[in-house]
Amino acid sequence: MSLDQTDRRLLQVLQRRGRISNADLAEEVNLSASACHRRVQRLEADEYIKGYVALLDVRKMGVPATIFVEIRLSTQADEVLEAFEKAVARVPDVLECHLTAGAADYILKIVAEDTEDFARIHRQYLTRLPGVAKMQSSFALRTVFSTTALPV
């Protein structure tokens, strides 16, 4: 299925205001409520919309520190990559894990309470990940810009 302009407008609004009522969404994109509902259902069924979430405040949740960890593996063998990916997916403090091209094989985005908490995460989880040859961590000093909205 290809997206038309109305689908794109629906997705733009839903990315900004996921809890908008169907009636308000329909009005904003100039559709009838029933046509809007059918389109949103189709976008969900075709997995353009993967789900709905609540975005939490990191400070209020007690994990204001963001750390980016670059990981280089000992080898690029499929079994090592698979073992690493399965293990890192089980680390509760890892928000994102990206397989990358360049100096690092993976980049992780981790949240922690502070440096002491990150030391615990490092000891308890990161040092035990399979196939790791080298790790380098960088603490974010401040988040300048962050969004979950994709360009539509």
Side-chain angles (χ1 to χ4, degrees), residues 112-130:
E113 295 172 18
D114 50 28
T115 56
E116 199 172 292
D117 188 38
F118 178 68
R120 175 196 59 81
I121 295 164
H122 188 274
R123 266 190 328 275
Q124 188 174 352
Y125 297 107
L126 302 182
T127 58
R128 298 175 184 183
L129 291 171

Side-chain angles (χ1 to χ4, degrees), residues 86-137:
K86 283 181 184 174
V88 78
R90 292 190 300 267
V91 180
D93 309 283
V94 175
L95 297 184
E96 299 175 17
C97 175
H98 302 272
L99 176 63
T100 60
D105 294 312
Y106 290 93
I107 296 178
L108 310 181
K109 179 180 178 182
I110 296 174
V111 291
E113 295 172 18
D114 50 28
T115 56
E116 199 172 292
D117 188 38
F118 178 68
R120 175 196 59 81
I121 295 164
H122 188 274
R123 266 190 328 275
Q124 188 174 352
Y125 297 107
L126 302 182
T127 58
R128 298 175 184 183
L129 291 171
V132 174
K134 185 178 179 185
M135 254 187 282
Q136 181 173 322
S137 304

Side-chain angles (χ1 to χ4, degrees), residues 4 17 23 26 32 37 40-41 46 60-61 67 77 86 90 93 113 139 151:
D4 63 16
R17 298 171 39 211
S32 70
H37 183 69
V40 170
Q41 282 185 315
D46 291 344
K60 289 183 179 177
M61 294 307 297
I67 305 96
K86 283 181 184 174
R90 292 190 300 267
D93 309 283
E113 295 172 18
F139 277 75

Side-chain angles (χ1 to χ4, degrees), residues 130-147:
V132 174
K134 185 178 179 185
M135 254 187 282
Q136 181 173 322
S137 304
S138 299
F139 277 75
L141 298 177
R142 178 170 53 100
T143 300
V144 176
F145 176 82
S146 177
T147 183

Side-chain angles (χ1 to χ4, degrees), residues 14-63:
L14 286 170
Q15 283 190 108
R16 285 184 282 117
R17 298 171 39 211
R19 290 182 53 137
I20 190 171
S21 71
N22 185 65
D24 290 342
L25 179 59
E27 185 177 322
E28 189 154 337
V29 299
N30 200 26
L31 283 175
S32 70
S34 59
C36 179
H37 183 69
R38 280 192 305 274
R39 279 184 180 253
V40 170
Q41 282 185 315
R42 189 185 77 235
L43 291 166
E44 291 170 348
D46 291 344
E47 295 185 340
Y48 283 94
I49 298 172
K50 301 294 279 181
Y52 297 89
V53 299
L55 301 175
L56 307 181
D57 184 292
V58 293
R59 292 194 185 290
K60 289 183 179 177
M61 294 307 297
V63 287

Side-chain angles (χ1 to χ4, degrees), residues 67-82:
I67 305 96
F68 297 95
V69 180
E70 297 179 13
I71 294 181
R72 190 175 313 156
L73 298 181
S74 56
T75 178
Q76 292 280 318
D78 283 344
E79 60 274 5
V80 174
L81 295 173
E82 288 174 23

